[in-house]
């Protein structure tokens, strides 16, 4: 906040104390990422006691999103309590109970928002907006490393994996060489878990499976692995990705093309089956 941020978007848990952390900065928008109505209710009620409401809430479906997922265990990511229909319906009742008007806290649906029809459907059902991640990460204007875009754009359903992160949450990523090797040795690494100093020296997680020796969760340095992905290190990086197909297949297109498609459903006239498979590595 002190650095001039306009908004704080926070996930990976229940940000019950975020208003306290942002105290003194009332103009900074606070936007939690949650996945079910129960968590939404807990956050709103706690924040109301602090005299603050979320400026918006991102509702992320763990069965479709990439990165850390809002379920307590991998086997729960497809649970019906995360369905957008159910969350929207239950939030309508929650808002009535709390005396809030519908729309006073915009609900932004995230996860699997990869085509115009789907986006239009959820906006008509009451969502204020949608969040799109992977599709923008692979656009021409994205500052991601070309190899990073290539990994995300060419991934297939069979090359995505759900696993337990070092943060203790389910996560979804592309099965790169490092992830394949890690998953094959995970149980052995967990048996050898022990407390140690942070590898990077700045303790990026409050609870870290590797640093704290928590054997039941991940045993790798997430900061190191994500940094390697940012640098385009396909062999050693961790590449988070959403589950759905991309609007233009493997093709790397401009943001303007993506926006036009998401808003109208019209794909670029020059996008053939062959060009959709051709990934620009320039």
């Amino acid at each position: 906040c002190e650095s001039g941020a306009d908004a704080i978007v926070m996930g990976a848990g229940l940000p019950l104390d975020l208003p306290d952390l942002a105290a003194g900065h009332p103009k900074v928008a606070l936007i939690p990422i949650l996945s079910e109505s129960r968590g939404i209710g807990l956050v709103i009620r706690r924040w109301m006691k602090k005299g603050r409401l979320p400026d918006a809430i991102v509702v992320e479906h763990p069965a479709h999103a990439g990165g850390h997922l809002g379920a307590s265990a991998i086997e729960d990511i497809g649970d019906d309590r995360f369905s957008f229909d159910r969350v929207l319906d239950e939030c309508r009742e929650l808002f009535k109970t709390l005396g809030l008007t519908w729309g006073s806290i915009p609900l932004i649906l995230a996860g699997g928002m990869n085509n115009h029809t789907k986006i239009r459907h959820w906006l008509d059902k009451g969502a204020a907006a949608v969040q799109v991640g992977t599709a923008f990460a692979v656009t021409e204007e994205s500052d991601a490393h070309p190899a990073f875009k290539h990994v995300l754009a060419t991934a297939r359903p069979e090359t995505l994996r759900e696993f337990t992160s070092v943060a203790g949450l389910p996560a979804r990523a592309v099965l790169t060489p490092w992830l394949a090797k890690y998953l094959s040795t995970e149980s052995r690494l967990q048996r050898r878990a022990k407390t140690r100093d942070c590898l990077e020296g700045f303790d990026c997680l409050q609870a870290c499976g590797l640093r704290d020796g928590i054997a039941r969760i991940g045993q790798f340095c997430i900061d190191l692995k994500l940094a390697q992905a940012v640098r385009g290190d396909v062999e050693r990086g961790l590449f988070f990705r959403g589950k759905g197909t991309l609007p233009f297949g493997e093709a790397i297109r401009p943001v303007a093309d993506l926006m036009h498609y998401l808003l109208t459903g019209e794909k670029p006239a020059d996008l053939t089956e062959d060009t959709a498979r051709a990934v620009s590595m320039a």
Side-chain angles (χ1 to χ4, degrees):
C1 294
E2 294 176 354
S3 298
D6 294 311
I8 303 295
V9 183
M10 180 175 287
L14 292 174
L16 299 176
D17 298 324
L18 184 55
D20 298 328
L21 298 174
H25 301 276
K27 294 184 179 180
V28 176
L30 303 182
I31 306 172
I33 302 175
L34 302 163
S35 293
E36 57 176 314
S37 62
R38 179 176 176 273
I40 292 172
L42 287 171
V43 167
I44 293 177
R45 287 186 172 93
R46 177 69 68 88
W47 287 27
M48 289 178 77
K49 292 179 180 179
K50 301 174 184 291
R52 185 76 191 257
L53 287 175
D55 292 277
I57 295 174
V58 176
V59 181
E60 186 179 82
H61 199 311
H64 305 292
H68 288 115
L69 308 172
S72 57
I74 293 174
E75 54 268 25
D76 293 336
I77 61 177
D79 193 278
D80 181 65
R81 71 181 185 275
F82 300 123
S83 75
F84 289 141
D85 274 317
R86 177 169 168 177
V87 172
L88 289 174
D89 288 344
E90 291 178 350
C91 281
R92 288 183 189 277
E93 294 303 314
L94 172 67
F95 280 31
K96 290 179 183 178
T97 300
L98 297 177
L100 300 172
T101 58
W102 184 251
S104 59
I105 303 175
L107 299 183
I108 304 168
L109 303 190
M113 298 298 167
N114 56 1
N115 64 66
H116 170 75
T117 301
K118 191 179 297 183
I119 292 172
R120 185 73 266 165
H121 170 78
W122 291 116
L123 293 179
D124 290 343
K125 294 280 284 187
V130 300
Q131 176 179 289
V132 181
T134 305
F136 280 101
V138 300
T139 55
E140 290 180 1
E141 293 89 342
S142 166
D143 61 359
H145 192 284
F148 184 98
K149 298 181 188 182
H150 177 76
V151 170
L152 268 59
T154 59
R156 296 287 181 269
E158 62 271 19
T159 62
L160 297 178
R161 289 292 184 275
E162 290 87 34
F163 59 99
T164 302
S165 165
V166 67
L169 294 168
R172 178 173 292 113
V174 181
L175 188 66
T176 52
W178 171 79
L179 184 56
K181 181 178 180 180
Y182 167 74
L183 292 177
S184 70
T185 60
E186 182 182 52
S187 59
R188 176 168 57 85
L189 294 172
Q190 289 174 329
R191 288 195 299 271
R192 297 180 178 179
K194 62 180 181 180
T195 57
R196 66 185 76 197
D197 292 335
C198 173
L199 294 183
E200 297 295 284
F202 57 85
D203 298 314
C204 66
L205 296 173
Q206 183 175 6
C208 170
L210 181 64
R211 181 198 63 208
D212 302 333
I214 306 173
R216 60 183 172 79
I217 62 177
Q219 298 296 312
F220 59 90
C221 176
I222 193 167
D223 181 77
L224 176 63
K225 290 300 159 187
L226 292 177
Q228 288 168 335
V230 168
R231 293 194 294 269
D233 189 338
V234 177
E235 293 295 318
R236 299 186 297 169
L238 172 59
F239 294 78
F240 284 148
R241 185 196 190 279
K243 190 174 183 179
T245 58
L246 292 173
F248 305 138
E250 298 181 4
I252 306 299
R253 303 288 300 197
V255 168
D257 286 354
L258 177 59
M259 288 297 298
H260 182 75
Y261 170 66
L262 295 178
L263 292 172
T264 68
E266 299 173 359
K267 291 189 176 182
D270 63 337
L271 186 71
T272 65
E273 184 176 346
D274 289 337
T275 58
R277 286 197 298 264
V279 180
S280 171
M281 292 293 289

